[in-house]
Amino acid sequence: MIEVNHLHKYFGDQHILKDISFDVKAGETIAVIGPSGSGKSTLIRCLNLLEKPTQGTIKIGDMFIEAPHFPKKTVYELRKHVGMVFQSFNLFPHLTALKNVAQGLMTVQKKDKATAFEESMHYLSKVGLAEKADHYPSQLSGGQQQRVAIARSLAMQPQVILMDEPTSALDPELVQEVLAVIKEVTKEQVTSMIVTHELNFAKDVSSRVMFMDQGRIIECATPNELFFSPKQERTMMFLEKFAAMSVHDFSI
Ligand code: ADP
Ligand code: MG
């Protein structure tokens, strides 16, 4: 479903992503972990062409991008098939939960209002928020806002969903409700990549975990392999550091 080959990204003369290659099969959930500044967000943003990759190729579904040249149309096509969930929920403050979800269905997919509302209710139910459909973002908790953002993304029925630290902006007591929703939706036929610091969650939901450091993929393996018998020294050091930080409740 996703195939990335020899991807590089420079910001000016800073080499941020260094020869990234990996693939993600349909239905897989990949957790992306790694220290701050290692390039996780840049990678996710390149996949969605929110950042312009400098060199390399990206294949997502039927779409093929050979950096750095690609037509505007490709960006538009890609965004139709690739959903994004950000750390900040990016909901429209002046629209209700229902209308936030329905908006893309009406404007991008040109569905009529009744159909869009009906489908939106379906996805709001999926994230446990049917009864909050008429609430505005300011009337919802951070966790509920993020669940609306997830419903909005799912409603577009993307081939791939990319999430960049979806729970990092949440108060600790709200993290679990959002992780539970993500766990539930990633069980279904959706291909996803999720950048997260929640290692227990990563272990729980992902088919593979990708560990990044200094712009490279250091190791990409099943959760069992990566967490319990990492092959690379750098992975071990990262995991040890995490285990020592009890706030993250990561025990192996
Ligand atoms: P992570 O998400 O793993 O914390 P990022 O992908 O956000 O890491 O950042 C990787 C590196 O790229 C950092 O050194 C960061 O300063 C740099 N970087 C990210 N975005 C930009 C940008 N728009 N311009 C210049 N440098 C950037
Ligand atoms: Mg980041």
Side-chain angles (χ1 to χ4, degrees), residues 11-12 14 16-17 34-43 45 51 164-165 195 197 212:
F11 284 116
Q14 272 198 304
I16 302 298
L17 295 180
S36 180
S38 55
K40 306 180 298 296
S41 295
T42 306
L43 173 60
R45 291 168 62 82
E51 295 292 354
D164 191 0
E165 300 197 25
V195 177
H197 291 299
M212 287 185 70

Side-chain angles (χ1 to χ4, degrees), residues 117-138:
F117 278 20
E118 191 184 324
E119 291 182 12
S120 299
M121 278 310 293
H122 169 76
Y123 287 99
L124 279 175
S125 305
K126 254 190 158 96
V127 301
L129 286 177
E131 77 284 6
K132 303 283 187 194
D134 294 330
H135 288 228
Y136 287 88
S138 62

Side-chain angles (χ1 to χ4, degrees), residues 64-128:
F64 183 75
I65 296 137
E66 190 165 7
H69 304 294
F70 44 85
K72 269 248 153 62
K73 211 177 105 218
T74 310
V75 180
Y76 184 71
E77 270 304 301
L78 189 83
R79 302 252 172 94
K80 274 204 293 198
H81 298 289
V82 180
M84 262 314 265
V85 174
F86 300 93
Q87 184 175 335
S88 51
F89 327 120
N90 293 3
L91 296 178
F92 294 110
H94 61 290
L95 297 181
T96 62
L98 179 69
K99 287 184 177 167
N100 261 287
V101 179
Q103 227 235 0
L105 295 175
M106 294 189 289
T107 58
V108 180
Q109 297 191 350
K110 312 283 181 219
K111 289 186 171 158
D112 64 67
K113 193 168 158 183
T115 310
F117 278 20
E118 191 184 324
E119 291 182 12
S120 299
M121 278 310 293
H122 169 76
Y123 287 99
L124 279 175
S125 305
K126 254 190 158 96
V127 301

